[in-house]
Amino acid sequence: MQLNHYLNFQGETEAAFNFYRSVFGGEFSFIKRYSELPDAQISEKEKDYILHVSLPINPFTVLMGSDTTEQFCAPQSAPFSKGTNHYISINLDADEQAEARRLFDALSENGQVEMALENTFWGALYGAFTDQFGIRWMVNCQLETE
């Protein structure tokens, strides 16, 4: 299991992550835009926004992020606020699905689920929530590799 920080921005993810890459070095291990979503109805302004980007910092840490939009990633329970726009992301391997479910259920107890833990189009078991203490979490169990 890895625990990583996941940052949200409003249209600044690409600039921010290009900056972080210039500081930490390395290459993006994953980058997708909202325009790549299957059947997405994205505004012209948001089509080039970042859906997800991963920048490995070292063998144990990956900095990840995305842009929030009106349609996606704008939880009513925790609207975007610059400076507090992050999640703790738990990343697990395909053989850890039971652990992903256990962690999701335990950590989200008495909290507010943003997205139920379910299979996604990107080949993962994924869910997001705010825990009872106001901390935002993501659980991502990668089931398929590209």
Side-chain angles (χ1 to χ4, degrees), residues 12-55:
E12 295 179 313
T13 300
E14 188 165 13
F17 272 75
N18 282 329
F19 170 73
Y20 300 142
R21 183 175 59 179
S22 77
V23 172
F24 294 110
E27 295 299 324
F28 300 132
S29 62
F30 189 90
I31 186 164
K32 292 279 185 194
R33 297 182 185 278
Y34 278 96
S35 60
E36 297 176 67
L37 278 170
D39 302 320
Q41 301 297 316
I42 304 295
S43 73
E44 191 63 30
K45 174 186 169 190
E46 296 174 337
K47 73 179 176 86
D48 288 329
Y49 278 14
I50 302 298
L51 173 66
H52 177 79
V53 61
S54 295
L55 177 63

Side-chain angles (χ1 to χ4, degrees), residues 74-137:
Q76 291 71 26
S77 63
F80 179 86
S81 177
K82 200 168 191 171
T84 61
N85 49 332
H86 71 278
Y87 286 82
I88 297 174
S89 179
I90 300 172
N91 299 293
L92 300 134
D93 293 326
D95 63 349
E96 298 177 290
Q97 292 179 54
E99 180 67 354
R101 291 180 200 290
R102 184 190 74 77
L103 289 168
F104 186 92
D105 291 345
L107 288 167
S108 66
E109 187 174 338
N110 299 319
Q112 183 165 357
V113 173
E114 176 183 331
M115 182 175 169
L117 189 66
E118 58 190 30
N119 290 339
T120 65
F121 75 90
W122 65 86
L125 180 64
Y126 171 85
F129 58 90
T130 302
D131 73 17
Q132 62 185 317
F133 302 103
I135 303 301
R136 295 166 65 184
W137 295 83

